[in-house]
Amino acid sequence: MKQKINLSLMTLSVLAIFVTMFCLTSVYYNLFQEQVRKDLKIEARMLSETGISRLVENQGFIGDEEIRITWISQDGQVLYDNDVDTHYLTNHLDREEVKAAFETGFGESVRESDTMNMRTFYYAVLLEDGTVLRVSTRARSLVSVFFSAFPVMILILLVILGLCLVLSHLLTRQLLEPIREMAEDLENVPATSTYSELSPFLDRIREQHEDILAAARSRQDFTANVSHELKTPITAISGYAELIENRMVDEKQQIKFAGDIRKNADRLVSLINDIIRLSELDYGGGTLDFTSVDLYEVAEERIELLRTNAGRKNVSLILTGSSCMVTSNRSLLIELIDNLVQNAIRYNIPNGSVNILVEQRGGNAVLQVSDTGIGIPKADQSRVFERFYRVDKSRSRETGGTGLGLAIVKHIVELHQGTIRLESEMGKGTKIRIEL
C-alpha cells in the first residue's frame, strides 16, 4: 500500500510539473508576442512621423538587423527594404498586412518559417502620401522555445522529483501511522487521528471489532450454557439408569424413575431441537420461502392444538381479531405463536387465561399475547430475550422450559424486520406485542 501511494504521488508530481511548465511557457510566450507587436507599432509610428522618404533619400538605409523595414508603393511595388535588394522582391499587394493597411489604415500578421522554428511578426501602416510602411521582426516559435528550455526543465524536474520523493515518503508514513497504530493495538486507538477523514473509518473498525468480540463472548457463553443445560438431563438419566441397573430400587421406584427418565429425555430432545432451530435462525433462517400468509388463520390453528396443554393447567385460551395477511413463512409463524402461547401457559396461574390478539394496524400485522401469570420483575425484563436466561430457573425446569423460546421469538421478529415490546407487572401478568 505504501509503495502504491508513493508511486501515485510521484506520477502526479511528474504530470503536474510538465503541465505547469508547458502552461507557464505558453503564458510567457503570449506575453512576449504582445510585447513584440507593441514594439513594432511604436517603431512604425516613429518612422512614419520622421518621414520614411526623407530618411531613405538622406541615409540610404534605416533600422538595425533585428527590425526589417519595407516601404511599399500604392501599386504594391517595394520602394525600399533594409534587408533585401528591392530588385529581388515581388509585388506585395497580396500580403495580408499590406492589404489590410490599404483598406483600414493598418494591418498585422504572423507567419511561420519553413523550418517551423521561427515566426515573423509584421505590422503595416498607411502613410499620408498613400504608400505603406511595414516593419517586421523574427522570434522563436513556442515549440522552439520549449525545446530550447528542455535541458533546464529536466534539471528542475530532477530536483523537484527528489523533493517530491522525500515529501511523499514522509506524507505516506504520516498518513499510514494511525492505521499502523490501530493494527498494533486496536483496543487503545486514540479517539482522534491525524486526519479527521480517518475518524469515521477508525470508528467503524472499532465498532466492528467490538461487535466481533461481543459475538465471540456470546458464542462462548452460549456454548457454556448449552453444555450445562445438556449435562443436567443427561446426568439425571444416567443416575436413574444406574440405580435401576444395579437393582438399588424397588419396582415401584423403578416406575417413578422411568417416568423421570422420560421427562428428562423429552427435555433433552426439546433442548436439542431449540438449539438447532436457533442456529438455523442465526444464519438467516436457512432457505425459507416468504409468501402471503393469514396470521389469524395460523393462530387459530395453533391455539386449537394447544388447548389440551392449557387445559391440564386450567388455563383458558382466548383468540380475538380478524384475518390479517403478512409476508412470512408459515413454519416461522407457527414457532412464533407456539413459543409465545406456551410461555404464557407455562408461567400462568391456576384458572388463569391467555388472550391472543391478531389485527392489522397501520399497514403492519400485530400479534399480541397477554396472560394473567406471575409476571416478570422489572430488573429481568430487558434480558428475557437472551439465550438460556430464566427469571426463575427452578420453576422453568419444572415446567419444561428450555430458556430458548423467547430467543427464538426475537430472531423470528428480526428476520421480518419487525418490532417486539414487552410489558409486565409482578403478580398481574405479561403482555408481549409484536408488529411484523
Side-chain angles (χ1 to χ4, degrees), residues 81-370:
D81 191 293
N82 69 337
D83 187 50
V84 181
D85 191 333
T86 58
H87 293 92
Y88 298 103
L89 296 175
T90 60
N91 192 289
H92 278 40
L93 277 179
D94 60 343
R95 306 299 169 88
E96 180 183 349
E97 68 281 355
V98 175
K99 187 186 299 184
F102 279 120
E103 292 176 356
T104 63
F106 71 94
E108 57 183 336
S109 66
V110 180
R111 288 194 282 275
E112 300 283 350
S113 68
D114 294 337
T115 60
M116 298 299 288
N117 289 327
M118 300 293 290
R119 305 184 81 188
T120 304
F121 295 82
Y122 296 93
Y123 183 82
V125 61
L126 183 65
L127 302 178
E128 292 181 357
D129 60 0
T131 60
V132 168
L133 172 65
R134 186 186 72 174
V135 292
S136 63
T137 188
R138 289 184 178 183
R140 287 184 175 183
S141 66
L142 176 61
V143 175
S144 176
V145 172
F146 185 80
F147 279 105
S148 64
F150 195 74
V152 178
M153 292 170 59
I154 291 296
L155 180 61
I156 296 172
L157 176 64
L158 293 175
V159 173
I160 295 176
L161 279 179
L163 292 174
C164 288
L165 183 62
V166 174
L167 290 175
S168 65
H169 179 74
L170 294 175
L171 289 173
T172 302
R173 185 171 64 182
Q174 187 178 7
L175 177 67
L176 298 178
E177 186 66 19
I179 299 176
R180 185 188 63 78
E181 292 177 356
M182 179 179 61
E184 290 180 354
D185 188 5
L186 194 58
E187 295 291 341
N188 299 311
V189 177
T192 57
S193 62
T194 305
Y195 302 98
S196 59
E197 292 82 2
L198 288 178
S199 295
F201 172 74
L202 294 175
D203 292 340
R204 182 61 176 167
I205 292 294
R206 190 184 296 109
E207 181 183 339
Q208 290 181 346
H209 179 65
E210 291 172 356
D211 290 344
I212 291 171
L213 291 178
R217 285 193 294 269
S218 176
R219 192 178 296 109
Q220 190 175 25
D221 293 342
F222 179 68
T223 303
N225 286 328
V226 167
S227 300
H228 176 73
E229 293 294 334
L230 291 177
K231 186 178 179 180
T232 302
I234 290 174
T235 301
I237 291 170
S238 178
Y240 291 141
E242 185 178 358
L243 290 174
I244 294 173
E245 182 184 22
N246 293 325
R247 298 180 180 179
M248 297 177 66
V249 294
D250 56 31
E251 186 176 342
K252 185 177 180 181
Q253 286 181 312
Q254 286 181 10
I255 296 173
K256 179 181 178 301
F257 285 175
D260 290 338
I261 289 173
R262 181 187 57 78
K263 289 179 182 178
N264 279 283
D266 290 343
R267 173 172 165 70
L268 194 60
V269 171
S270 296
L271 270 171
I272 293 171
N273 287 336
D274 284 352
I275 291 168
I276 292 172
R277 191 58 182 141
L278 200 54
S279 297
E280 290 175 350
L281 293 173
D282 277 339
Y283 289 97
T287 56
L288 295 171
D289 294 325
F290 277 52
T291 57
S292 183
V293 184
D294 190 336
L295 181 60
Y296 184 86
E297 180 185 316
V298 177
E300 189 175 36
E301 173 189 307
R302 300 313 298 173
I303 288 169
E304 287 302 317
L305 293 174
L306 292 170
R307 286 194 189 279
T308 303
N309 185 33
R312 294 194 192 102
K313 297 181 178 290
N314 294 322
V315 174
S316 60
L317 301 180
I318 304 167
L319 173 64
T320 57
S322 59
S323 177
C324 179
M325 303 305 295
V326 59
T327 301
S328 179
N329 178 274
R330 189 177 183 84
S331 63
L332 288 181
L333 293 180
I334 290 173
E335 286 188 74
L336 181 68
I337 295 168
D338 283 0
N339 277 298
L340 289 174
V341 176
Q342 285 177 355
N343 260 16
I345 295 171
R346 185 177 294 121
Y347 300 106
N348 218 313
I349 59 174
N351 299 317
S353 63
V354 176
N355 291 278
I356 302 95
L357 170 66
V358 177
E359 63 178 353
Q360 200 86 29
R361 181 69 62 87
N364 295 328
V366 175
L367 172 64
Q368 181 175 290
V369 178
S370 308

Side-chain angles (χ1 to χ4, degrees), residues 52-68:
I52 182 66
S53 59
R54 184 155 46 85
L55 289 173
V56 170
E57 291 173 359
N58 295 336
Q59 300 180 12
F61 70 93
I62 305 173
D64 54 32
E65 294 181 355
E66 293 185 2
I67 301 294
R68 181 182 176 186

Side-chain angles (χ1 to χ4, degrees), residues 348-349 353 370-376 423-431:
N348 218 313
I349 59 174
S353 63
S370 308
D371 63 59
T372 56
I374 59 176
I376 302 171
E423 297 176 11
S424 186
E425 189 174 346
M426 291 298 294
K428 292 187 177 180
T430 300
K431 179 172 70 176

